[in-house]
Amino acid sequence: MDDQHIIELYWARSEDALQETAAKYGGLCRSVAGRILSSPEDCEECVNDTWLGLWNAIPPHRPACLAVFAGRIARNLALKKLDYLTAARRNAEAVSSLEELGECVSGRETVESEVESRRAEWAVTQFLRRLHEEKRNVFLLRYWYFFSIEDICLRTGFRQSKVKTMLGRTRRKLREYLEQEGIEL
């Protein structure tokens, strides 16, 4: 079933929407959550919460790409679950990835306005769109999907030194781009 038809089922408040979404995107959501969470039980809980999140978000939202929308909800829920868990049980790759990226887009102790947050999201999206596909994919594998350097090497065929160099340069360019856009780091 295509995404637009599934979205129409959500708008009609048909429970079939959940079954169709789980059948089509269950693997994607499990993969996203599994890269962040160590426990299969936590991962499955996160995936189930993703279906509830979709049910509550559609309507009013009408996503252009259901896969991205579902993946983003699963990722955000998994990150919240990771934050909840004790430090001893956290996924080292996810924590390591976020620390690396923190050099470019560190969090703030104070609450920023929604407008500034949207502006930063837009700037990062524009930056990623300008990257060569190879660099963008490596960046997303590391910082969106939390792949280890070794897993990225296996997936891309690159050597570790190339992946590390590529990620370091991309982080530096992202920092420079955000500074040019007037986004405080």
Side-chain angles (χ1 to χ4, degrees):
M1 183 176 292
D2 73 346
D3 287 359
Q4 291 309 313
H5 187 71
I6 295 172
I7 291 169
E8 290 305 322
L9 290 174
Y10 278 105
W11 277 81
R13 305 314 280 166
S14 170
E15 291 183 18
D16 291 341
L18 297 172
Q19 294 170 345
E20 293 294 333
T21 306
K24 190 168 184 180
Y25 296 117
L28 169 74
C29 292
R30 276 183 202 80
S31 175
V32 168
R35 288 264 169 217
I36 298 169
L37 302 170
S38 302
S39 163
E41 293 82 12
D42 290 338
C43 179
E44 196 58 36
E45 179 184 342
C46 180
V47 170
N48 289 332
D49 289 346
T50 299
W51 310 145
L52 177 63
L54 283 167
W55 184 262
N56 291 332
I58 307 172
H61 293 88
R62 188 177 291 273
C65 181
L66 187 58
V68 172
F69 197 72
R72 186 174 190 176
I73 290 173
R75 181 179 187 274
N76 289 341
L77 289 169
L79 287 171
K80 284 180 185 176
K81 184 71 172 179
L82 177 67
D83 195 39
Y84 173 78
L85 298 172
T86 63
R89 293 185 58 204
R90 289 189 178 165
N91 179 325
E93 282 304 322
V95 172
S96 172
S97 294
L98 292 173
E99 286 173 356
E100 287 174 10
L101 195 56
E103 300 169 6
C104 302
V105 288
S106 62
R108 308 246 189 319
E109 293 300 321
T110 61
V111 178
E112 293 185 36
S113 71
E114 183 67 24
V115 172
E116 186 62 24
S117 177
R118 295 280 179 193
R119 189 168 154 249
E121 286 177 26
W122 180 86
V124 170
T125 300
Q126 294 307 309
F127 172 79
L128 291 173
R129 285 185 179 158
R130 292 177 181 172
L131 284 179
H132 186 273
E133 183 179 4
E134 181 179 90
K135 292 176 183 175
R136 180 176 53 241
N137 288 341
V138 168
F139 188 86
L140 290 173
L141 285 172
R142 181 68 175 153
Y143 301 117
W144 180 263
Y145 294 106
F146 299 116
F147 276 60
S148 68
I149 300 293
E150 294 79 20
D151 288 341
I152 294 171
C153 292
L154 290 173
R155 189 160 217 169
T156 62
F158 298 150
R159 302 180 93 193
Q160 279 193 14
S161 60
K162 179 174 181 168
V163 170
K164 289 178 180 179
T165 301
M166 192 181 296
L167 289 169
R169 288 178 180 166
T170 305
R171 285 192 310 267
R172 189 183 71 246
K173 288 179 182 177
L174 173 60
R175 181 181 190 87
E176 291 169 1
Y177 179 79
L178 292 175
E179 287 172 352
Q180 287 174 353
E181 293 295 314
I183 296 173
E184 292 184 31
L185 306 176

